[in-house]
Amino acid sequence: NVAFTGCAESTTFQFVVVGGTAPYNVSTSSNNVAPDVVVPQTVQASGDVFKVQPYKGLLPPYLGSTTIVIVDSSLPQKTVSAIINCN
């Protein structure tokens, strides 16, 4: 989990996916009015990076939490999550 003070519209968080079976699907959920920006939403290989920009297109205050869920391609699927807390 990530706790960050001073979030802004341009604040971007970078994550690296390792382990499990590629490709991986990334999704987010938050209470933001605009959807979170996730690039790419499909991570092709272990060790690859994806970025989350939770406040793109929103006005202050930039507060709250965003949950990130990564699901791999194994059977059964493995899932991991992280939370970004902006305060």
Side-chain angles (χ1 to χ4, degrees):
N1 294 346
V2 178
F4 191 81
T5 301
C7 290
E9 180 185 8
S10 62
T11 302
T12 302
F13 298 90
Q14 183 171 290
F15 297 87
V16 177
V17 180
V18 292
T21 304
Y24 313 90
N25 291 314
V26 181
S27 62
T28 62
S29 64
S30 67
N31 58 357
N32 297 333
V33 175
D36 305 313
V37 175
V38 179
V39 178
Q41 290 182 328
T42 301
V43 178
Q44 296 300 321
S46 180
D48 284 357
V49 172
F50 70 92
K51 297 178 182 181
V52 177
Q53 194 172 2
Y55 299 103
K56 180 75 175 172
L58 296 177
L59 298 173
Y62 303 108
L63 304 172
S65 64
T66 298
T67 301
I68 303 159
V69 177
I70 302 104
V71 180
D72 80 348
S73 295
S74 65
L75 290 175
Q77 292 180 312
K78 295 180 183 86
T79 302
V80 66
S81 63
I83 299 172
I84 300 169
N85 289 306
C86 286
N87 46 42

